[in-house]
Amino acid sequence: MTTPGFLPTHVVPPGGLPAWEAPDPSYPTVALDALLPVQLLERRGDWGRVLCANDWSAWVDGRLLVAVPQDPPAAGADAARTADPRPLLARAEEALTRYRNEAEALAAGHRDRESFRDHTKGLRIGVVVDGESLWLFDAAHERWVYCDGARLSTFAVGDKPHETPAAPRLPAAAPAPEPTRVVAEPERGPEKHRPADRRPADHGPADHGPADHEPTRLVPPVTRDE
């Protein structure tokens, strides 16, 4: 029996979809069949509450739902979030360039292992290209997406849905190189002579530290017999 006015907005992916009674992994319910048409009613972070044609609803991982093509928005209407692949491709290209630069610096001896590890910390890249098909890792949302050249769709996720998704795990910016500091060599003035050791007559010989050289030895002259 189909609910009157039921208009599907998504379909379940080909592999089916686990479902829950509430947006909580502790309350599983009957899984949804593959390619089942559903209507997305509500979103809470990664969670999505869907309505089936028989008026039964459940919570699912909204990231995995496959959107049903809709008519284009009217002129002037607010466009929905686009699945344009170019921003994600640009971030992947930037991360790959950064890694390549750091690897070249390591090979040239400008980086040691510890600094190489620090400069590449947080970089996460995943790209698979097979002709017109592209699989791309979206590190900000912990998911793999599929691209046919025009739009993205979620292919797989790395964790269970969250009502309040964690902040995106983006790589830290590369540390700025330290500025070169030029230290001026101190000027040397004319060498000053040490004053002669002066001591009162009624004092004994001055105490001196260890000698810097061997003491001078007086050798008597050698006489030759004529």
Side-chain angles (χ1 to χ4, degrees):
M1 179 178 178
T2 301
T3 302
F6 175 77
L7 180 63
T9 59
H10 296 74
V11 296
V12 175
L17 202 59
W20 292 265
E21 296 179 359
D24 188 334
S26 304
Y27 299 95
T29 185
V30 180
L32 300 183
D33 294 334
L35 304 179
L36 178 70
V38 295
Q39 183 179 2
L40 181 62
L41 300 178
E42 183 181 354
R43 286 297 297 261
R44 291 187 188 179
D46 298 334
W47 292 97
R49 186 167 71 92
V50 296
L51 177 68
C52 300
N54 61 357
D55 204 24
W56 183 74
S57 66
W59 289 88
V60 299
D61 188 343
R63 297 171 295 179
L64 295 174
L65 292 173
V66 180
V68 174
Q70 304 291 331
D71 293 334
D78 293 335
R81 187 180 66 174
T82 181
D84 186 351
R86 290 173 295 180
L88 189 55
L89 285 169
R91 290 198 295 270
E93 182 180 5
E94 179 183 353
L96 182 59
T97 299
R98 180 173 157 189
Y99 188 92
R100 183 177 65 246
N101 290 340
E102 293 300 329
E104 291 176 352
L106 178 65
H110 301 153
R111 292 269 191 276
D112 56 22
R113 276 290 174 183
E114 183 176 357
S115 61
F116 176 75
R117 187 180 304 111
D118 291 340
H119 281 71
T120 55
K121 186 177 181 180
L123 287 179
R124 304 174 73 208
I125 310 167
V127 181
V128 177
V129 180
D130 185 9
E132 65 177 9
S133 299
L134 168 71
W135 290 265
L136 193 62
F137 182 66
D138 183 0
H141 299 93
E142 293 291 329
R143 62 175 183 168
W144 280 89
V145 296
Y146 172 76
C147 177
D148 60 2
R151 64 186 307 274
L152 297 175
S153 58
T154 302
F155 179 74
V157 294
D159 56 358
K160 290 187 178 298
H162 300 278
E163 186 169 347
T164 304
R169 298 175 57 183
L170 297 178
E178 295 185 1
T180 304
R181 294 181 297 175
V182 179
V183 180
E185 187 175 349
E187 297 182 357
R188 296 182 179 178
E191 186 177 357
K192 297 181 180 180
H193 298 284
R194 293 178 58 188
D197 185 18
R198 297 179 182 178
R199 56 185 182 276
D202 56 348
H203 283 67
D207 294 331
H208 296 283
D212 295 333
H213 54 79
E214 292 289 336
T216 304
R217 292 181 297 174
L218 298 179
V219 180
V222 179
T223 59
R224 296 182 179 179
D225 295 334
E226 296 183 356

